[in-house]
Amino acid sequence: MVQKYKIPIVVTGFEPLDLVPTPDLKLLDVAWDKINRGVMVTSRGCPYKCSFCASSLFWDRTRLHSPEYVVNEMLSIVRQYGVREILIYDD
């Protein structure tokens, strides 16, 4: 629980992060063929505790997918959707 804001936050997670299944991107309503870009997240959290950022409120530490996991997810996105760019949305 975060006492400063009096908001109960329950953190559950996978250890290691590679146990998180690859997301089913078919569930997203995205026109992959029009924008020609894929998106992915390769980590959770941030190693810094900036006062203006909410990341440290949600994640108690930084966890990274392994390089093999990231490459496999990239290959999967490219094969399934034929994208030419992949945007990585990490903190």
Side-chain angles (χ1 to χ4, degrees):
M1 175 155 16
V2 178
Q3 294 299 325
K4 183 177 178 183
Y5 300 101
K6 303 204 185 319
I7 300 170
I9 297 176
V10 177
V11 178
T12 60
F14 292 89
E15 284 296 334
L17 194 55
D18 286 358
L19 294 177
V20 175
T22 303
D24 184 358
L25 298 176
K26 294 175 195 167
L27 298 174
L28 297 176
D29 185 21
V30 177
W32 296 102
D33 56 332
K34 292 181 183 173
I35 61 173
N36 221 9
R37 287 186 211 136
V39 296
M40 62 186 292
V41 177
T42 66
S43 68
R44 305 288 189 278
C46 177
Y48 308 104
K49 305 289 183 207
C50 302
S51 61
F52 56 83
C53 182
S55 183
S56 62
L57 293 176
F58 294 105
W59 309 107
D60 60 344
R61 64 192 183 288
T62 303
R63 295 181 300 145
L64 307 171
H65 282 292
S66 70
E68 294 82 12
Y69 182 98
V70 173
V71 169
N72 286 334
E73 187 174 342
M74 286 178 169
L75 290 173
S76 175
I77 292 171
V78 169
R79 287 181 189 132
Q80 285 184 335
Y81 303 102
V83 299
R84 298 181 64 173
E85 299 176 26
I86 295 178
L87 305 175
I88 297 176
Y89 290 123
D90 287 349
D91 286 331

